[in-house]
Amino acid sequence: MDTIAVVLAGGVGTRLYPASSRERPKQFLALDGERSLLSRTVERVEPLADATYVLTRPEYADLVPDHAPDAEVLVEPAGRDTGPALVYAAHRVRDEVGECVLLNLPSDHRVGDGFADPAERALRAARETGKLVTLGVEPDRPATGYGYIKPGTDRGDYFDVAGFFEKPSTEAAERYVYDGFLWNAGVFAWTPEALLDEARRSDLAPLVESLDAGQPERGFRLVEPVSVDYAILEGCANAAVVPADVEWDDLGAWDALARVGDPDAAGNVVAGNALTVDAEDCVIATDEGSHVSVVGVEGLTVAAYDGRVLVVPTEDAQRVREVVARLEAEEE
């Protein structure tokens, strides 16, 4: 049974405005190095897979070969979040490859050493049991921006899933970490048939029926945007989790650079062209054509790309999506 990697590269990454935009989403950026996040992800999974597919939207399809030249490009009819995307990928890969096991993962996460071992255990569990298997990262802090998984019965290589819990309050996150819950990293292993069988019992059933009939565009019109967690996993009795003790960050917002970057003596993380004077614990990011000077401030994120500048307290980095929503409303 072949192993096929499916790398999701259709998101926009609005919380990393102005670096990430609809024209240049974050997976094609090199936020913490010289190579793009997509390129690093494909390199990470290629040793584990017999083939790699990159799933993306039509408007990004031409960008993929520059970052993943050896990968096949799958183009979903429209952006509908990870639920429809992963169902579409499973159906397409099954038709092209036949019987296989899929390793599905986002293109825009930062993952440290040690990923291969838990990924291989997840693939083995999916192959041998027919379960929908997720990687659960062992948390190093009570993060409120991630979903959590409660492990159930220990089955050796994996645990049954006792529950999925969405982004919690600070108090709940502290309790989850104390009780041994795991972060939901959005990395999944399953056979195409296992996922499609569960999808047929969910709100994504019209999509599966349309795909069976050779009408993917119709199927995407019939379903609402929904994550695979909400659509399938949370109501599934056939889910399993493999713990992964690896450094991991979803690089979802600017505060992630403060966690994964290389700070100077004053705690500033700089990616680009910048000058700091009496500044502490700031995140500064620019494109090649911009220069930022930061003087006498603390705890700010300053990002300058394409003539647009963002200034926000780093602790409020999640609110950047509000800026994008306002800007999009003004353009309509």
Side-chain angles (χ1 to χ4, degrees), residues 13-291:
T14 54
R15 288 173 293 165
L16 283 169
Y17 169 88
S20 184
S21 66
R22 292 194 178 277
E23 294 74 29
R24 185 190 55 208
K26 68 174 180 175
Q27 58 267 28
F28 300 109
L29 302 178
L31 290 172
D32 63 340
E34 297 181 355
R35 298 170 56 236
S36 71
L37 298 175
L38 173 58
S39 176
R40 292 183 177 196
T41 302
V42 170
E43 180 182 60
R44 185 185 318 124
V45 300
E46 281 182 338
L48 304 173
D50 297 289
T52 300
Y53 285 75
V54 175
L55 179 67
T56 193
R57 301 186 190 194
E59 57 265 37
Y60 304 147
D62 291 341
L63 299 176
V64 172
D66 291 337
H67 301 264
D70 296 326
E72 299 286 338
V73 181
L74 273 183
V75 181
E76 56 185 321
R80 287 290 188 273
D81 211 330
T82 59
L86 288 171
V87 168
Y88 175 76
H91 201 283
R92 280 286 307 274
V93 173
R94 184 198 62 180
D95 287 351
E96 293 186 10
V97 176
E99 188 178 8
C100 61
V101 61
L102 304 177
L103 177 64
N104 310 270
L105 68 168
S107 60
D108 51 5
H109 292 183
R110 184 179 186 270
V111 181
D113 295 337
F115 173 78
D117 177 67
E120 288 173 341
R121 284 189 282 123
L123 288 164
R124 183 166 58 249
R127 186 183 298 112
E128 295 177 354
T129 69
K131 291 182 177 291
L132 306 186
V133 186
T134 180
L135 250 62
V137 173
E138 298 182 10
D140 59 13
R141 64 188 186 281
T144 59
Y146 302 150
Y148 286 74
I149 301 169
K150 180 181 180 180
T153 303
D154 187 348
R155 303 294 185 183
D157 268 353
Y158 65 89
F159 292 78
D160 293 336
V161 170
F164 290 91
F165 300 84
E166 283 306 309
K167 300 177 178 64
S169 66
T170 300
E171 294 76 12
E174 290 173 347
R175 186 170 66 253
Y176 292 167
V177 172
Y178 179 81
D179 288 339
F181 288 25
L182 304 167
W183 285 335
N184 185 353
V187 179
F188 310 107
W190 47 57
T191 64
E193 281 303 330
L195 180 69
L196 294 173
D197 285 347
E198 292 291 343
R200 290 186 181 97
R201 294 189 284 269
S202 76
D203 290 341
L204 295 177
L207 173 58
V208 182
E209 294 169 2
S210 297
L211 292 172
D212 288 341
Q215 299 176 319
E217 291 80 7
R218 175 179 180 273
F220 270 70
R221 289 195 299 269
L222 291 175
V223 295
E224 296 295 323
V226 61
S227 72
V228 73
D229 305 86
Y230 279 124
I232 297 176
L233 292 173
E234 292 185 7
C236 170
N238 195 33
V241 60
V242 171
D245 185 12
V246 297
E247 292 184 9
W248 172 84
D249 202 295
D250 73 349
L251 297 182
W254 287 113
D255 59 338
L257 264 67
R259 294 192 295 270
V260 305
D262 184 18
D264 63 18
N268 301 304
V269 174
V270 177
N273 304 311
L275 171 67
T276 62
V277 178
D278 294 331
E280 296 181 0
D281 299 326
C282 291
V283 174
I284 307 164
T286 76
D287 58 17
E288 292 183 357
S290 303
H291 185 279

Side-chain angles (χ1 to χ4, degrees), residues 288-318:
E288 292 183 357
S290 303
H291 185 279
V292 169
S293 298
V294 179
V295 182
V297 296
E298 181 179 353
L300 289 183
T301 287
V302 182
Y305 288 80
D306 301 327
R308 297 190 173 199
V309 178
L310 168 79
V311 181
V312 61
T314 302
E315 65 181 6
D316 290 331
Q318 299 293 330

